[in-house]
Protein backbone atom coordinates (compact mmCIF):
# COMPACT_ATOMS: atom_id res chain seq x y z
CA UNK A 1 0.00 0.00 0.00
CA UNK A 2 2.96 2.39 -0.18
CA UNK A 3 2.11 3.36 -3.77
CA UNK A 4 -1.07 3.38 -5.80
CA UNK A 5 -2.05 3.93 -9.43
CA UNK A 6 -5.40 4.76 -10.98
CA UNK A 7 -6.85 1.89 -13.01
CA UNK A 8 -10.30 3.29 -13.81
CA UNK A 9 -9.27 6.48 -15.65
CA UNK A 10 -10.27 6.31 -19.28
CA UNK A 11 -12.85 3.58 -18.57
CA UNK A 12 -15.27 4.87 -15.92
CA UNK A 13 -17.68 7.69 -16.67
CA UNK A 14 -17.60 8.79 -13.02
CA UNK A 15 -15.18 8.75 -10.12
CA UNK A 16 -17.91 8.14 -7.54
CA UNK A 17 -17.71 4.53 -6.34
CA UNK A 18 -20.19 2.73 -4.10
CA UNK A 19 -18.93 -0.87 -4.08
CA UNK A 20 -16.04 -3.02 -5.29
CA UNK A 21 -16.04 -6.82 -5.20
CA UNK A 22 -13.52 -9.40 -6.39
CA UNK A 23 -14.89 -12.80 -7.40
CA UNK A 24 -13.84 -15.38 -4.76
CA UNK A 25 -13.39 -18.08 -7.39
CA UNK A 26 -11.54 -15.89 -9.92
CA UNK A 27 -9.45 -12.97 -8.61
CA UNK A 28 -9.14 -11.57 -12.14
CA UNK A 29 -12.89 -10.85 -12.18
CA UNK A 30 -13.91 -7.61 -10.47
CA UNK A 31 -17.27 -5.84 -10.36
CA UNK A 32 -17.59 -2.14 -9.45
CA UNK A 33 -20.83 -0.34 -8.69
CA UNK A 34 -20.64 3.43 -9.14
CA UNK A 35 -22.32 6.12 -7.07
CA UNK A 36 -21.42 6.49 -3.41
CA UNK A 37 -23.91 5.25 -0.82
CA UNK A 38 -23.39 8.44 1.21
CA UNK A 39 -26.28 10.69 0.15
CA UNK A 40 -24.63 14.01 0.89
CA UNK A 41 -25.85 17.32 -0.55
CA UNK A 42 -23.01 17.26 -3.10
CA UNK A 43 -23.48 13.63 -4.10
CA UNK A 44 -22.23 12.50 -7.54
CA UNK A 45 -24.74 10.29 -9.35
CA UNK A 46 -23.66 6.77 -10.22
CA UNK A 47 -23.38 5.58 -13.80
CA UNK A 48 -23.97 1.85 -13.50
CA UNK A 49 -21.74 -1.19 -13.12
CA UNK A 50 -18.31 -1.92 -14.58
CA UNK A 51 -16.53 -5.26 -14.82
CA UNK A 52 -12.94 -6.35 -15.35
CA UNK A 53 -11.81 -9.87 -16.25
CA UNK A 54 -8.08 -9.04 -16.18
CA UNK A 55 -7.62 -7.83 -12.61
CA UNK A 56 -8.45 -4.21 -13.41
CA UNK A 57 -6.21 -3.67 -16.44
CA UNK A 58 -9.25 -3.01 -18.62
CA UNK A 59 -12.92 -2.45 -17.82
CA UNK A 60 -16.26 -2.94 -19.57
CA UNK A 61 -19.52 -1.18 -18.78
CA UNK A 62 -22.09 -3.90 -18.03
CA UNK A 63 -25.30 -2.00 -17.38
CA UNK A 64 -27.65 -0.51 -14.76
CA UNK A 65 -26.79 2.99 -15.87
CA UNK A 66 -29.98 4.48 -14.41
CA UNK A 67 -29.79 2.67 -11.06
CA UNK A 68 -28.28 5.75 -9.38
CA UNK A 69 -26.22 5.11 -6.26
CA UNK A 70 -25.03 1.52 -5.67
CA UNK A 71 -24.53 0.41 -2.09
CA UNK A 72 -23.17 -3.12 -2.51
CA UNK A 73 -22.09 -5.81 -4.95
CA UNK A 74 -21.89 -9.51 -4.05
CA UNK A 75 -20.57 -12.36 -6.22
CA UNK A 76 -21.36 -16.07 -6.06
CA UNK A 77 -18.47 -17.92 -4.34
CA UNK A 78 -17.96 -20.47 -7.14
CA UNK A 79 -19.48 -18.85 -10.24
CA UNK A 80 -18.18 -15.35 -11.13
CA UNK A 81 -20.99 -14.94 -13.67
CA UNK A 82 -23.57 -14.75 -10.89
CA UNK A 83 -23.64 -11.43 -9.05
CA UNK A 84 -26.06 -9.24 -7.13
CA UNK A 85 -26.22 -5.44 -6.98
CA UNK A 86 -27.91 -3.28 -4.35
CA UNK A 87 -29.28 -0.19 -6.12
CA UNK A 88 -30.10 2.67 -3.74
CA UNK A 89 -31.43 4.71 -6.65
CA UNK A 90 -31.18 8.30 -7.76
CA UNK A 91 -30.48 10.50 -4.75
CA UNK A 92 -32.75 13.45 -5.49
CA UNK A 93 -36.15 11.94 -6.24
CA UNK A 94 -38.25 8.86 -6.96
CA UNK A 95 -36.49 6.33 -9.18
CA UNK A 96 -38.12 3.19 -10.60
CA UNK A 97 -34.74 1.43 -10.88
CA UNK A 98 -34.29 1.03 -7.11
CA UNK A 99 -33.92 -2.49 -5.72
CA UNK A 100 -31.80 -5.65 -5.91
CA UNK A 101 -30.54 -6.88 -9.28
CA UNK A 102 -29.12 -10.26 -10.29
CA UNK A 103 -27.03 -11.33 -13.26
CA UNK A 104 -26.40 -14.94 -14.23
CA UNK A 105 -24.37 -14.25 -17.35
CA UNK A 106 -21.56 -12.05 -16.12
CA UNK A 107 -23.41 -8.77 -16.52
CA UNK A 108 -24.69 -9.22 -20.06
CA UNK A 109 -28.21 -8.97 -18.67
CA UNK A 110 -29.71 -8.00 -15.30
CA UNK A 111 -32.98 -8.95 -13.64
CA UNK A 112 -34.48 -6.93 -10.82
CA UNK A 113 -35.36 -9.56 -8.24
CA UNK A 114 -36.45 -7.34 -5.32
CA UNK A 115 -38.39 -4.10 -5.65
CA UNK A 116 -40.31 -2.32 -2.88
CA UNK A 117 -41.14 1.07 -4.38
CA UNK A 118 -39.67 3.92 -6.43
CA UNK A 119 -38.54 5.58 -3.16
CA UNK A 120 -37.04 2.53 -1.40
CA UNK A 121 -33.74 1.12 -2.64
CA UNK A 122 -31.26 -1.55 -1.57
CA UNK A 123 -28.22 -0.34 0.37
CA UNK A 124 -26.47 -3.54 1.51
CA UNK A 125 -26.25 -7.24 0.62
CA UNK A 126 -24.81 -10.39 2.19
CA UNK A 127 -24.52 -13.92 0.78
CA UNK A 128 -24.35 -16.86 3.17
CA UNK A 129 -20.90 -18.45 2.65
CA UNK A 130 -22.27 -21.98 3.07
CA UNK A 131 -25.32 -21.40 0.84
CA UNK A 132 -25.02 -18.66 -1.81
CA UNK A 133 -28.70 -19.06 -2.66
CA UNK A 134 -29.40 -17.45 0.71
CA UNK A 135 -29.08 -13.69 0.32
CA UNK A 136 -29.86 -10.89 2.75
CA UNK A 137 -30.77 -7.41 1.49
CA UNK A 138 -31.21 -4.13 3.38
CA UNK A 139 -33.91 -1.91 1.92
CA UNK A 140 -33.75 1.81 2.67
CA UNK A 141 -35.75 4.88 1.81
CA UNK A 142 -32.97 7.35 1.15
CA UNK A 143 -33.65 10.61 -0.64
CA UNK A 144 -31.69 13.85 -0.71
CA UNK A 145 -33.24 17.32 -0.63
CA UNK A 146 -31.24 20.57 -0.86
CA UNK A 147 -32.09 21.32 2.78
CA UNK A 148 -32.25 17.84 4.37
CA UNK A 149 -32.05 14.09 3.87
CA UNK A 150 -35.02 11.75 4.07
CA UNK A 151 -33.70 8.58 5.70
CA UNK A 152 -36.10 5.83 6.62
CA UNK A 153 -39.67 4.68 6.27
CA UNK A 154 -42.06 1.87 7.14
CA UNK A 155 -41.18 -0.10 4.00
CA UNK A 156 -37.49 -0.43 4.83
CA UNK A 157 -35.83 -3.30 6.64
CA UNK A 158 -34.04 -6.60 6.04
CA UNK A 159 -35.25 -9.04 3.39
CA UNK A 160 -34.09 -12.62 2.83
CA UNK A 161 -34.19 -15.07 -0.06
CA UNK A 162 -33.35 -18.76 0.15
CA UNK A 163 -33.69 -19.48 -3.57
CA UNK A 164 -31.12 -17.13 -5.09
CA UNK A 165 -33.47 -14.18 -5.39
CA UNK A 166 -36.60 -15.71 -6.92
CA UNK A 167 -38.67 -14.99 -3.80
CA UNK A 168 -38.11 -12.78 -0.75
CA UNK A 169 -39.37 -12.50 2.82
CA UNK A 170 -39.16 -9.48 5.09
CA UNK A 171 -37.52 -10.22 8.45
CA UNK A 172 -39.32 -8.01 11.00
CA UNK A 173 -39.09 -10.11 14.17
CA UNK A 174 -37.17 -8.14 16.79
CA UNK A 175 -36.12 -5.27 14.54
CA UNK A 176 -37.49 -1.72 15.00
CA UNK A 177 -41.07 -1.28 13.88
CA UNK A 178 -42.36 1.73 11.98
CA UNK A 179 -39.64 4.12 10.85
CA UNK A 180 -36.45 2.20 9.99
CA UNK A 181 -33.51 3.78 8.19
CA UNK A 182 -30.16 2.80 6.77
CA UNK A 183 -28.85 -0.67 7.70
CA UNK A 184 -25.43 -2.30 7.41
CA UNK A 185 -25.13 -6.10 7.59
CA UNK A 186 -22.39 -8.55 8.53
CA UNK A 187 -22.67 -12.33 8.41
CA UNK A 188 -20.32 -14.51 10.43
CA UNK A 189 -18.13 -16.73 8.18
CA UNK A 190 -17.75 -19.34 10.95
CA UNK A 191 -21.38 -19.43 12.08
CA UNK A 192 -23.75 -18.55 9.27
CA UNK A 193 -26.71 -18.43 11.64
CA UNK A 194 -25.10 -15.36 13.26
CA UNK A 195 -26.07 -12.10 11.59
CA UNK A 196 -25.30 -8.57 12.80
CA UNK A 197 -27.28 -5.51 11.71
CA UNK A 198 -26.41 -1.90 12.47
CA UNK A 199 -29.76 -0.14 12.24
CA UNK A 200 -30.74 3.53 12.05
CA UNK A 201 -34.00 4.12 13.92
CA UNK A 202 -35.57 6.79 16.18
CA UNK A 203 -36.67 6.71 19.84
CA UNK A 204 -33.70 4.74 21.14
CA UNK A 205 -34.31 1.80 18.81
CA UNK A 206 -31.26 2.44 16.66
CA UNK A 207 -28.07 0.48 17.23
CA UNK A 208 -26.64 -3.01 16.88
CA UNK A 209 -28.91 -6.04 16.50
CA UNK A 210 -27.93 -9.72 16.39
CA UNK A 211 -29.63 -12.80 15.03
CA UNK A 212 -28.59 -16.32 16.03
CA UNK A 213 -31.09 -18.11 13.80
CA UNK A 214 -30.26 -16.86 10.29
CA UNK A 215 -32.44 -13.78 10.53
CA UNK A 216 -35.65 -15.36 11.78
CA UNK A 217 -35.42 -13.24 14.92
CA UNK A 218 -33.21 -10.39 16.18
CA UNK A 219 -32.32 -9.01 19.56
CA UNK A 220 -31.03 -5.54 20.40
CA UNK A 221 -27.53 -5.77 21.87
Amino acid sequence: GQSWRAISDGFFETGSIGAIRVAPSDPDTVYVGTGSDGLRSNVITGRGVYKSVDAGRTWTFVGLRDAGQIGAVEIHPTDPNIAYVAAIGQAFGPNEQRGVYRTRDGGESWERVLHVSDRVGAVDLELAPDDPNQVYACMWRGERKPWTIISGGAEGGIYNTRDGGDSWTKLPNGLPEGLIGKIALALSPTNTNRLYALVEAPDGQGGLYRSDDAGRSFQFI
Side-chain angles (χ1 to χ4, degrees):
Q2 294 298 310
S3 61
W4 294 81
R5 60 186 178 88
I7 58 174
S8 60
D9 288 357
F11 295 101
F12 289 17
E13 193 175 335
T14 178
S16 180
I17 305 300
I20 302 172
R21 187 66 65 190
V22 179
S25 61
D26 178 11
D28 285 340
T29 299
V30 187
Y31 290 81
V32 172
T34 62
S36 168
D37 68 348
L39 300 188
R40 293 172 292 275
S41 57
N42 59 347
V43 64
I44 299 173
T45 301
R47 291 291 185 267
V49 179
Y50 289 81
K51 178 187 176 185
S52 174
V53 293
D54 54 13
R57 295 177 183 86
T58 60
W59 297 87
T60 301
F61 173 75
V62 291
L64 302 185
R65 178 180 172 81
D66 297 323
Q69 313 308 99
I70 290 176
V73 175
E74 290 290 340
I75 307 173
H76 192 283
T78 61
D79 187 347
N81 289 315
I82 300 176
Y84 298 84
V85 164
I88 299 170
Q90 302 283 346
F92 294 98
N95 177 218
E96 184 62 28
Q97 283 73 34
R98 297 174 189 257
V100 176
Y101 289 82
R102 177 183 66 194
T103 181
R104 289 172 166 170
D105 53 18
E108 292 185 19
S109 62
W110 294 88
E111 176 186 8
R112 190 175 62 187
V113 293
L114 177 58
H115 176 67
V116 174
S117 77
D118 62 0
R119 294 182 182 273
V120 178
V123 65
D124 200 9
L125 291 170
E126 286 285 343
L127 270 62
D130 60 341
D131 180 8
N133 284 320
Q134 184 164 199
V135 185
Y136 298 90
C138 298
M139 305 304 289
W140 174 44
R141 184 188 177 190
E143 190 175 336
R144 186 77 229 187
K145 300 296 184 183
W147 60 91
T148 189
I149 182 172
I150 299 171
S151 183
E155 297 173 305
I158 302 175
Y159 290 70
N160 173 243
T161 176
R162 298 177 185 274
D163 53 19
D166 292 333
S167 60
W168 295 81
T169 302
K170 190 175 182 180
L171 305 176
N173 191 8
L175 291 170
E177 298 180 359
L179 186 67
I180 185 168
K182 195 174 185 180
I183 302 174
L185 281 181
L187 188 62
S188 169
T190 57
N191 175 9
T192 54
N193 287 321
R194 175 68 58 85
L195 180 68
Y196 292 94
L198 192 61
V199 180
E200 177 194 19
D203 303 325
Q205 297 182 79
L208 187 62
Y209 288 76
R210 187 184 77 203
S211 172
D212 294 318
D213 54 12
R216 293 177 180 87
S217 64
F218 286 86
Q219 60 176 321
F220 179 75
I221 61 171

